[in-house]
Amino acid sequence: MTTVTTPRPGLSSRLSALSKVVELGPGRLDPKLMSEAESLLLRAGDRLKLSSEHTVVALAGGTGSGKSSLFNAVSGLELSPTGVRRPTTARTHACVWGLEGAAPLLDWLQIQWRHRFARASALDKGESQLHGLILLDLPDHDSIRALNDNEADRLIGLADLVVWVLDPQKYADASTHRRYVTELAGHEAVTVFALNQADRLSTEELAELVIDLNDLLRREGVEHPTVVPTSAVTGRGVESLKSVVAAAVFRRRAAIQRLEADLRKLEQRMTAAMPVGEALAIPAAVDEARKMGLVDALCDAVGVPAVGEAMENIYVERSNQWVGWPFPRWADRFRPDPIKSLRLEDVSDEIKGIAAGTVTAQAAEVTNAVQALAEGLSGTMHPVWRSSLHHAARSRLGKVPSALTEDLTEVAPQLDRVPAWWRLLKAWQYALVAAFGCGVLWLLLGLLIPGALPPALELMGDTAALPWAALMTVSVLGLGALSGIASRNFVELGASRERERLEREMRRRVAAIAEKMVVEPVERELARHHAFYTAMRGLSS
């Protein structure tokens, strides 16, 4: 019965983390690392779906190492052809101990049907410990045939356990060590080194070579190498090699260990390229203080305080036409109009001009505000992520000034609007002016033109009434002046409230534009950064 390989919980979670890294890594991670990660995920997915009852062991080595002879010695059959003049293996041969469930695995390995062999039950007596073994004799990795070379590389990457067959003369061959051994550092659990053709050496020479090979492997990062001296000719060490292979087959963990070793190697390279460090300390969202700082900077860039102040000043100046004691206002007609001196005749158009002019003229300040936000958030980021965050912050920067202009122009106040209480106050003040005029006229006619007024209003000869008439007239004048002062206070209070309302509304709109066009793209990148490094940490757990 075929079973599917079940990874340990740690491997499953780490593969999930790697999948997340691959999802978030494009444009951030080196394309070569991304390609290797994708290949590993694909290979892990395929291998874990296939039989866990079988362990794929590949015999790999260079030309003349005796790899095919060792394959035949382990299998006990003459399955793989051996050469005389130029020994070389052209195609991969496979010997299977226990065929049930092996076919899909062999198909995945792309082993041709004519090169698949099974141990007959009669020959399996005494070798039950190898049940579940799929032994591969790979093409020589240093073959002059490029096809063979690629075939060896592919299967070395797919095998659960690799047995490197080295001969005494070329055991330190640079091509083997440079291309393969150094890349397999950390794979000790799934790598075995067979020092073959031991029959050509004396006992002392073999001991020296084993010591030298161990030292060489340790220098190349293989901390605990497994070295087995063998001879396909005399059979020396073949049983020892079988025991090592049988132990791996019995544990049924070689496939998992190979994936774990490959994942660990890839994780080390990814971590070197993208150290986690303090990356997770960077927030996944823009904090409120930074949002407020961005809004403040954008408000300054579009001149919100200037527009508010202009609105307040114009509000006060325009109120002079309606509010205040008329006599000073009439006197002001003989002086230059302060509104005209400020070129604010058309209030609404002027404020719209202020808003539009500010955004256009100070677009650089908008850029600086966005840049400051990105700098503050990305200061400790990896350069690649810092660049991507700046790009996200600037992704809609070109549209921000025009959006601010259009939106803020809509809230430009209608300062030619006249509040109802201004009209009522003006009517009251003109009534007082009329009363004052009537009082002055009464005094003049009563004192200078006797008989011009009705007897009841006549002041001539009635000295007691004269002070009271003058007091009434002066009181009307004083009441008008006091009402003018009071009205000015109310106007200034109203102007201040209108300014606050306008600035609050403009600030609200600036904040909405900043959130949509700057903060949201930045927060998407921050969330991606946080998820990426969370996956990186999960990859190493």
Side-chain angles (χ1 to χ4, degrees):
M1 178 178 179
T2 302
T3 58
V4 174
T5 302
T6 303
R8 293 189 305 173
L11 177 60
S12 178
S13 62
R14 291 174 67 199
L15 288 173
S16 296
L18 181 62
S19 177
K20 193 67 175 179
V21 169
V22 169
E23 176 188 343
L24 301 173
R28 279 78 177 168
L29 269 178
D30 178 31
K32 183 179 179 181
L33 282 176
M34 288 288 296
S35 177
E36 291 181 16
E38 291 171 354
S39 297
L40 177 56
L41 285 172
L42 182 61
R43 175 159 56 86
D46 289 343
R47 183 62 184 94
L48 294 174
K49 291 176 184 177
L50 297 170
S51 172
S52 64
E53 298 299 320
H54 290 85
T55 301
V56 180
V57 177
L59 298 181
T63 304
S65 62
K67 173 172 49 61
S68 297
S69 297
L70 189 60
F71 174 82
N72 292 335
V74 172
S75 64
L77 300 170
E78 291 294 324
L79 301 177
S80 187
T82 57
V84 178
R85 292 187 177 180
R86 184 176 179 83
T88 181
T89 302
R91 293 290 181 181
T92 301
H93 292 71
C95 183
V96 183
W97 280 258
L99 277 176
E100 185 180 358
L105 187 53
L106 290 168
D107 290 341
W108 179 63
L109 294 170
Q110 298 179 24
I111 306 300
Q112 296 179 5
W113 279 95
R114 66 176 181 273
H115 295 143
R116 299 179 186 182
F117 306 96
R119 287 286 307 207
S121 58
L123 296 175
D124 283 338
K125 294 179 180 179
E127 294 190 347
S128 60
Q129 73 275 15
L130 294 179
H131 184 79
L133 169 64
I134 297 179
L135 185 65
L136 304 181
D137 179 21
L138 304 187
D140 305 322
H141 69 76
D142 57 355
S143 171
I144 60 174
R145 300 181 182 179
L147 178 63
N148 294 351
D149 204 22
N150 293 335
E151 174 79 356
D153 287 347
R154 182 180 67 83
L155 289 170
I156 288 170
L158 296 178
D160 301 329
L161 186 146
V162 178
V163 177
W164 286 98
V165 182
L166 307 173
D167 69 85
Q169 294 181 338
K170 296 191 296 182
Y171 72 92
D173 180 55
S175 65
T176 299
H177 289 264
R178 184 176 61 251
R179 290 178 56 189
Y180 301 104
V181 176
T182 55
E183 291 298 318
L184 291 175
H187 289 63
E188 290 91 339
V190 289
T191 306
V192 177
F193 298 90
L195 186 56
N196 199 26
Q197 301 177 6
D199 56 286
R200 297 183 179 183
L201 304 171
S202 66
T203 304
E204 292 77 10
E205 289 174 333
L206 180 60
E208 289 180 5
L209 285 184
V210 169
I211 293 173
D212 188 56
L213 178 57
N214 274 279
D215 290 341
L216 176 62
L217 293 172
R218 289 191 183 95
R219 288 197 300 270
E220 292 179 339
V222 184
E223 295 182 3
H224 305 288
T226 300
V227 177
V228 181
T230 59
S231 171
V233 175
T234 65
R236 179 179 179 179
V238 172
E239 290 302 320
S240 298
L241 181 60
K242 280 186 177 183
S243 297
V244 172
V245 172
V249 173
F250 176 76
R251 289 193 299 268
R252 301 287 192 264
R253 290 209 64 252
I256 300 298
Q257 288 177 317
R258 175 61 192 269
L259 292 175
E260 288 177 336
D262 289 344
L263 185 58
R264 183 166 54 252
K265 186 76 174 182
L266 182 61
E267 177 266 325
Q268 290 171 352
R269 295 172 60 197
M270 284 185 169
T271 301
M274 289 278 185
V276 177
E278 300 298 321
L280 288 176
I282 297 173
V286 181
D287 57 273
E288 290 301 320
R290 294 188 190 278
K291 288 183 181 180
M292 290 180 63
L294 174 63
V295 172
D296 289 340
L298 291 179
C299 285
D300 289 340
V302 299
V304 169
V307 173
E309 183 179 1
M311 185 282 304
E312 183 176 18
N313 292 335
I314 295 167
Y315 187 97
V316 173
E317 292 298 335
R318 285 302 182 197
S319 69
N320 288 334
Q321 299 177 2
W322 297 87
V323 178
W325 193 225
F327 292 113
R329 188 165 63 247
W330 291 336
D332 287 341
R333 292 182 178 179
F334 297 98
R335 297 197 299 267
D337 187 353
I339 303 299
K340 292 182 179 180
S341 68
L342 294 173
R343 296 181 291 108
L344 297 173
E345 296 88 347
D346 188 338
V347 178
S348 182
D349 290 344
E350 184 67 17
I351 288 184
K352 291 179 181 180
I354 290 173
T358 300
V359 172
T360 302
Q362 300 183 26
E365 291 192 20
V366 175
T367 301
N368 291 339
V370 174
Q371 188 76 7
L373 175 70
E375 284 290 344
L377 290 167
S378 65
T380 59
M381 282 185 175
H382 187 280
V384 172
W385 283 99
R386 187 184 306 127
S387 176
S388 63
L389 184 69
H390 280 259
H391 182 269
R394 296 192 302 266
S395 60
R396 305 187 66 185
L397 183 58
K399 298 180 180 179
V400 173
S402 59
L404 291 170
T405 301
E406 295 172 3
D407 214 34
L408 295 185
T409 299
E410 295 178 2
V411 298
Q414 298 178 355
L415 294 182
D416 52 354
R417 176 179 57 85
V418 179
W421 69 273
W422 285 14
R423 298 180 185 275
L424 294 175
L425 187 58
K426 185 174 184 178
W428 162 252
Q429 290 171 338
Y430 273 99
L432 292 178
V433 168
F436 175 73
C438 291
V440 171
L441 182 61
W442 180 23
L443 289 173
L444 291 176
L445 292 176
L447 293 175
L448 301 178
I449 306 176
L453 296 173
L457 300 178
E458 187 65 54
L459 297 176
M460 187 62 68
D462 188 359
T463 55
L466 183 61
W468 290 105
L471 180 60
M472 291 174 61
T473 302
V474 172
S475 296
V476 170
L477 183 63
L479 181 60
L482 288 174
S483 66
I485 294 172
S487 65
R488 296 300 302 168
N489 291 335
F490 283 115
V491 166
E492 292 177 359
L493 181 61
S496 178
R497 289 177 177 174
E498 284 293 316
R499 175 179 180 174
E500 291 176 0
R501 182 201 61 78
L502 174 64
E503 291 185 355
R504 186 168 55 250
E505 176 61 16
M506 294 179 76
R507 184 180 178 85
R508 185 189 67 78
R509 295 193 176 216
V510 169
I513 292 174
E515 181 73 23
K516 181 179 180 180
M517 306 187 77
V518 179
V519 174
E520 287 183 2
V522 167
E523 287 191 330
R524 282 196 295 270
E525 191 63 23
L526 285 175
R528 183 172 185 170
H529 174 271
H530 188 79
F532 176 85
Y533 278 102
T534 299
M536 285 289 290
R537 176 163 290 180
L539 187 59
S540 60
S541 62

